[in-house]
Amino acid sequence: MEALRQDDPRRFGRFTALARFHEGASAVRYVARDTATGEVVLVTAARPQLAAVPVFSRRFRAEARTAERLAGGWVSPPVDLGEEPEAPADGPEPLWTAAAYVPALPLAEAVAIAGPLPERALRILGAGIAEILSRVHASGSVLQGLAPGTVLLAADGPRLTAFGPLGAAASAEVGPGGQLSVRLGYLTPEQIEGKEVSAASDLFVLGLLLAYAATGTTPFTEGPAEEAARRIAEDEPELDAVPDPLRELIASCLAKDPAERPPAGTVAAELALEGAAGLARGGWLPERLAAAVTDQEARVLALEPPEDDTEPEAGPTEAAEAGAGAAEAEAAESGPEETPEPEDARPEDPRTDGARPEDPRAVPEPQDARTAPEPEDARPLPVPPADASQTNASPAGAPPADASPVNAPASQAPTAAPASDGDIGEDRGTTRFLNTGPRPPQSDRPTTQLALPHELTAPPGAALVPAAHPMPPALPAAPGTPQQPHQQPSHTQGGPAPYPAAALPAGPAGPGGPGGGPMVSLPLPPAPAPAPDPGASRRTLLTIAAAAVGGLVVGGGSVAALGSGDTAAATDDKPAPKPRRTLPGQAPEPRWIYAHPASESSPLTTAVWRDKLLVVTSESQASAVDLRTGKRLWQRADGAKGQAALAAGDDLVFVASPTEFLWLSPKNGKVVHRVRYTEAFTDLPGLTVGRLAGSSGPVIWFTGSHTVTVKAPKPKKGKKKEKDKEVVQAHFFAYDIVQRKELWRTSVPAGRSPGTPAYRVVAERSADVLVRQDAVSLTAAEVKAAKGKGSVRSFDQKTGKLLWTKKYGAASLEAATTGDEDGALYAAVGKDLQAFEADTTKPLWRVEGSDGSWFGTPLIAGPLIHTTERSRLVGAVERESGRLVWRRSTEVPGIGNAPSLTLSSSEKTLIAADAVQVTVFSAADGERLWKFQDIGSADPKGATVSAPYRALTFGETVVVQRDRSFYAFPVA
């Protein structure tokens, strides 16, 4: 953090800038204060030369919206997206976004202060970032925004500040024709081999980040710079200094084969089973870092606006410097990860003529010489005015004595932007969240290859000059603390000092030709269709060049282009590639989204009525949502605390409340019929109706209990009369909700206090129904008599008479159990799933489960049984033989219960829902179709969001619920 410079903006909308917080390659972040409320925020402002590029501007704004949807937990929520500033007439529209300020240190700075982190801090850091990755990957997206400078360490846990390659960029500059070049930080083996990035790529970078945090260096730094790509692709990482308990996990993240890397959810669970927030309770930072965070907070609170704060709101220069943050996030949607530029290299004041002090270390280079990419410790110069006839060369860092001199590629002023670039406000990139509807295709096709490392030719007149700027004034120390001299780190992200830039050999056909080094594929999203612009001679391009891997600069070159104009001009002689396909695993757009009002209590039950209504009950009422539109139709207080709604014939909605049965009109929720328990069961005064055990057509089964007084027997002569006893009597009922009459009841043992046993129908057969009692409702005497084994009861369908009670193998009291109409029963036995003959208890077959796991309730579907395990494995076995057909993982942490299973109406799609996400499979072969997570997360300082996902299906739609949010997705 440092004082504002003379040319820094002083205002961003309603925020007054107080100090510089961090400077990156594409943005500057400022500490600012809301003039109305006094709230302190961090404003991220795009650099003006980048904000002038239409594709950058569009992606910046899309990222700002993405950050808003991802906000919560370890992502600070935005407080202002700066989406509607007035654009100055003589410059680009200001780009900035403001997020809540959280006192925190960049990981790189923390390592510089206190050295490698201890094991517990490493676990919290890794778990927090893995939790974010798990949320991103669940939407079928790739993050690509991790770097030592994009991860902050706050008092309550880590924070992520960048969500894509722009946020982690080592450098960014504008070239000829408005071309935006970005040099990346970390690379992965698959990128070096020219393959597309995936969720596993994020895990490789997470492994690099954790290794850096654990050792103070990255595991591939040893050796010549020109061999960096080979080391990443072939060598084993150096992890001897990593704590033993974490070494194996980090090594698995750094596996060369992406398929061998663990999913983010697994990493999060292995690092902190209780979650990063839970493990961080009570503090997690070493003493020196905790003190540094506290000191930073005190310094920020002591900041006051400069006395000459008369400057108007951010203009083209100021606001553009603001937009880097959003650009960083939006880039999350499409590019590889990068490292921000160091603080010791600053762009030259654009008002100067480009003359700078001469660096004695610089080595002049002939005008016709090829140059390697700009080193990590140098920044590109600002772009001169459009009418400038000369170009400014980017500064280059000085190589060590044993390295060849290296120059940075030159940058050039952009040409005038087209009058219209076709921006429709949203960019559908790799990080895709809700409310991003279908977009028309872009007329120009993006180039999606990243070359390592084509040499660049400096234009005539380009000079090698040092990046020099005056030392900024130091900020005042916190009140009561001694003034410290200003120290400026040599690298913004504080990672190990980069090797000198060293170009790898070009291919036989020269730069850009065949064999020109490894190619890295970037998943750039299809852009929106542009408006025609006859005056535009060239499209605006986003070009991404490869750079440092773990602090190693390995090369550069023009590699990936994203057009925003209407003319598809090729960037080289190669044919334009085909548009990128949609990322696998990406959830479809929801047909509608319904949010249960926050003013009402949370939903208790949800049910689909006749494929027309979604009926929701809560503590205060029952309400109905139109399944076609997602709009609420009615609400009825009579249905408060009701159980899941059922269809009573074709024209009534049945709801069982704590005191009565209700039949509601599906049109307006009006009560058509009402049967109070005191009236329907007059011989059972004070009847308490328990949870519905099951239903079939018009018949429901439920348990109920009431208390009776048993008079004490007449005492014998001379004896004192005993007191009367209060005894709970329980019954199992069958009731017809169409005819509104009781079919039968049978006495059953009372359950644990208050006395109503909780039954669940596990199978309905022509002659009987099979029922299990939940273990939590068993009395202590019943639990003792069971000796750890559960039982199933058979009741006659017509009379309710108890026919038999049986136990099945070693199935426990809590074992998940279900049955079919053909007389088979399927139960979890230990870690396995076993089939039995229901009437004889004869074992039929067994399916082995995962060690340390157990099966949840299976789902019967024709000739198959779909299985679910606590280890998050979902599968299918043949109903007749138990032969395994397929088994797949949902790839989320193996905590909590096994996922619950639901089939689509066609039985072609299997939906697995748990506390973390919804995973959708092809029921026939187990192909993972897509994943979904509701954006949002637990507040690190508040209660954990524990509501599990639920899935209900109708027609070709699945309604996914989590707490108050409902999403209707199309399914086969």
Side-chain angles (χ1 to χ4, degrees):
M1 192 166 62
E2 64 183 48
L4 294 173
R5 300 178 187 174
Q6 183 177 359
D7 57 349
D8 279 330
R10 297 306 195 259
R11 295 291 298 277
F12 298 96
R14 68 181 192 270
F15 303 107
T16 299
L18 304 177
R20 279 179 163 242
F21 185 81
H22 177 270
E23 184 172 1
S26 58
V28 179
R29 299 172 69 196
Y30 297 91
V31 178
R33 181 176 290 127
D34 190 320
T35 54
T37 66
E39 178 186 10
V40 178
V41 300
L42 283 182
V43 172
T44 303
R47 294 186 181 279
Q49 63 267 41
L50 304 182
V53 181
V55 66
F56 182 98
S57 174
R58 184 174 70 249
R59 294 176 66 82
F60 178 97
R61 298 198 182 284
E63 160 137 353
R65 292 187 290 272
T66 296
E68 182 179 36
R69 296 175 190 124
L70 194 60
W74 312 121
V75 178
S76 296
V79 295
D80 194 326
L81 301 183
E83 290 201 46
E84 299 180 359
E86 295 184 3
D90 58 346
E93 180 178 332
L95 290 174
W96 60 271
T97 184
Y101 165 71
V102 176
L105 300 172
L107 173 61
E109 183 178 339
V111 171
I113 291 173
L117 300 182
E119 181 187 338
R120 179 169 173 268
L122 288 170
R123 287 184 177 277
I124 294 167
L125 169 66
I129 301 304
E131 287 168 9
I132 299 175
L133 292 179
S134 181
R135 295 168 59 201
V136 173
H137 296 168
S139 67
S141 309
V142 183
L143 182 68
Q144 298 180 282
L146 299 180
T150 65
V151 174
L152 305 183
L153 309 186
D156 56 5
R159 293 292 191 282
L160 185 61
T161 62
F163 306 93
L166 289 184
S171 67
E173 60 183 16
V174 179
Q179 178 174 300
L180 175 64
S181 298
V182 176
R183 201 155 50 85
L184 306 179
Y186 291 127
L187 292 181
T188 65
E190 55 269 27
Q191 288 176 302
I192 292 172
E193 293 173 3
K195 299 177 181 178
E196 288 192 0
V197 295
S198 64
S201 303
D202 282 338
L203 271 299
F204 187 89
V205 179
L206 177 60
L208 290 174
L209 195 74
L210 290 177
Y212 168 73
T215 65
T217 185
T218 47
F220 298 104
T221 54
E222 294 298 328
E226 61 272 14
E227 295 182 6
R230 181 198 60 76
R231 290 198 299 274
I232 294 166
E234 301 176 5
D235 291 0
E236 292 302 315
E238 177 55 55
L239 301 175
D240 290 346
V242 173
D244 291 343
L246 302 181
R247 189 175 303 143
E248 182 178 354
L249 178 62
I250 294 177
S252 66
C253 291
L254 296 174
K256 305 302 181 188
D257 185 355
E260 295 180 1
R261 298 171 201 156
T266 299
V267 174
E270 289 195 23
L271 289 172
L273 190 60
E274 66 272 58
L279 187 58
R281 287 192 179 99
W284 71 292
L285 292 176
E287 184 176 351
R288 292 182 63 186
L289 298 184
V293 170
T294 301
D295 177 70
Q296 181 197 99
E297 181 177 20
R299 295 174 65 199
V300 167
L301 294 178
L303 289 172
E304 295 294 340
E307 293 182 0
D308 60 345
D309 184 15
T310 58
E311 196 168 316
E313 293 187 9
T317 299
E318 312 160 37
E321 282 199 39
E328 296 171 10
E330 176 181 76
E333 304 185 42
S334 73
E337 179 168 15
E338 321 145 12
T339 331
E341 84 181 307
E343 285 188 10
D344 65 342
R346 310 287 184 191
E348 187 180 38
D349 191 332
R351 295 168 294 185
T352 67
D353 61 1
R356 279 168 287 178
E358 191 172 304
D359 189 341
R361 299 172 303 172
V363 181
E365 180 168 40
Q367 291 185 358
D368 60 348
R370 294 186 182 274
T371 60
E374 165 185 282
E376 188 170 298
D377 60 348
R379 286 175 191 268
L381 297 178
V383 182
D387 60 352
S389 59
Q390 295 180 347
T391 60
N392 289 333
S394 298
D402 60 346
S404 302
V406 179
N407 290 343
S411 60
Q412 186 172 329
T415 58
S420 173
D421 63 8
D423 183 13
I424 60 174
E426 180 93 24
D427 203 56
R428 294 187 64 194
T430 58
T431 303
R432 175 171 172 269
F433 299 97
L434 297 176
N435 300 329
T436 57
R439 306 296 185 209
Q442 172 89 344
S443 61
D444 59 343
R445 297 185 294 272
T447 302
T448 60
Q449 286 189 327
L450 212 168
L452 283 185
H454 297 327
E455 299 174 341
L456 301 180
T457 304
L464 181 63
V465 291
H469 58 269
M471 178 71 71
L475 285 172
T481 61
Q483 180 77 18
Q484 298 294 329
H486 176 82
Q487 292 184 351
Q488 185 168 305
S490 59
H491 306 290
T492 300
Q493 294 193 1
Y499 278 92
L504 300 182
M519 304 297 293
V520 178
S521 178
L522 293 178
L524 296 179
D533 182 11
S537 60
R538 299 188 65 175
R539 60 177 178 170
T540 304
L541 303 175
L542 169 65
T543 317
I544 302 180
V549 183
L552 305 181
V553 178
V554 296
S558 174
V559 291
L562 177 62
S564 63
D566 74 332
T567 306
T571 58
D572 51 31
D573 294 335
K574 299 178 182 179
K578 297 180 180 179
R580 185 181 61 83
R581 71 182 190 280
T582 302
L583 284 175
Q586 186 168 280
E589 292 292 334
R591 302 184 192 276
W592 50 258
I593 303 173
Y594 167 70
H596 190 72
S599 59
E600 301 175 10
S601 54
S602 296
L604 295 175
T605 71
T606 54
V608 169
W609 183 87
R610 294 289 183 197
D611 288 3
K612 297 179 181 179
L613 299 179
L614 178 71
V615 182
V616 181
T617 66
S618 68
E619 292 283 347
S620 57
Q621 62 192 8
S623 57
V625 176
D626 190 334
L627 285 175
R628 296 172 304 164
T629 64
K631 304 294 184 182
R632 180 186 270 196
L633 299 178
W634 51 260
Q635 54 200 45
R636 179 64 56 180
D638 301 76
K641 301 181 182 179
Q643 300 192 51
L646 297 169
D650 294 330
D651 55 357
L652 292 175
V653 178
F654 173 81
V655 175
S657 82
T659 59
E660 58 190 349
F661 290 149
L662 298 171
W663 287 261
L664 309 178
S665 167
K667 295 181 180 179
N668 54 24
K670 180 181 178 180
V671 178
V672 179
H673 303 290
R674 186 193 307 269
V675 174
R676 293 184 173 88
Y677 303 147
T678 55
E679 299 171 356
F681 308 98
T682 55
D683 57 334
L684 301 175
L687 178 68
T688 298
V689 172
R691 186 192 65 198
L692 297 184
S695 65
S696 177
V699 178
I700 62 173
W701 296 281
F702 62 92
T703 55
S705 66
H706 73 122
T707 303
V708 297
T709 301
V710 178
K711 292 188 175 295
K714 184 178 180 180
K716 295 181 180 180
K717 186 176 181 180
K719 297 292 185 180
K720 187 177 180 180
K721 183 180 179 180
E722 296 179 359
K723 292 183 179 181
D724 295 342
K725 294 182 179 180
E726 300 291 319
V727 177
V728 176
Q729 293 181 348
H731 303 271
F732 185 43
F733 298 84
Y735 190 93
D736 190 314
I737 61 175
V738 173
Q739 301 182 49
R740 299 194 297 282
K741 71 174 185 179
E742 180 183 346
L743 299 179
W744 50 256
R745 78 176 74 156
T746 187
S747 296
V748 295
R752 186 186 298 271
S753 180
T756 304
Y759 282 8
R760 184 172 64 86
V761 174
V762 297
E764 181 195 7
R765 305 190 294 183
S766 59
D768 62 353
V769 288
L770 304 185
V771 175
R772 269 186 57 100
Q773 182 174 349
D774 288 354
V776 294
S777 69
L778 292 170
T779 65
E782 288 173 323
V783 172
K784 183 177 180 180
K787 296 182 179 179
K789 295 183 179 181
S791 59
V792 173
R793 295 182 175 99
S794 169
F795 293 90
D796 187 275
Q797 276 269 32
K798 295 181 178 180
T799 66
K801 178 183 178 182
L802 177 63
L803 301 178
W804 48 255
T805 301
K806 298 181 183 296
K807 296 181 180 179
Y808 295 86
S812 68
L813 294 169
E814 299 86 5
T817 307
T818 194
D820 60 28
E821 70 281 2
D822 296 331
L825 198 77
Y826 311 96
V829 180
K831 67 181 183 65
D832 302 332
L833 179 68
Q834 195 164 354
F836 302 88
E837 285 185 357
D839 294 318
T840 66
T841 72
K842 176 184 176 181
L844 299 175
W845 47 256
R846 178 189 296 265
V847 175
E848 291 187 2
S850 307
D851 290 337
S853 182
W854 60 81
F855 279 87
T857 303
L859 182 64
I860 299 171
L864 297 179
I865 298 175
H866 293 290
T867 62
T868 174
E869 299 180 56
R870 182 183 180 274
S871 60
R872 296 322 190 248
L873 291 176
V874 174
V877 299
E878 289 182 351
R879 191 167 154 193
E880 182 69 23
S881 64
R883 185 184 70 85
L884 183 65
V885 178
W886 60 264
R887 183 179 285 175
R888 301 284 187 275
S889 172
T890 63
E891 297 184 339
V892 296
I895 56 178
N897 295 324
S900 61
L901 301 180
T902 307
L903 273 170
S904 63
S905 299
S906 66
E907 298 191 351
K908 294 180 180 178
T909 305
L910 181 69
I911 302 101
D914 56 28
V916 178
Q917 72 180 26
V918 171
T919 312
V920 179
F921 300 88
S922 167
D925 58 13
E927 178 187 0
R928 250 189 315 268
L929 303 178
W930 49 268
K931 302 176 182 180
F932 172 76
Q933 285 185 339
D934 183 23
I935 295 303
S937 160
D939 183 343
K941 297 182 179 179
T944 301
V945 176
S946 58
Y949 288 89
R950 301 175 183 173
L952 303 95
T953 59
F954 69 95
E956 296 181 344
T957 302
V958 56
V959 176
V960 173
Q961 176 202 359
R962 193 179 197 201
D963 196 23
R964 298 175 180 273
S965 300
F966 298 80
Y967 307 85
F969 293 105
V971 292

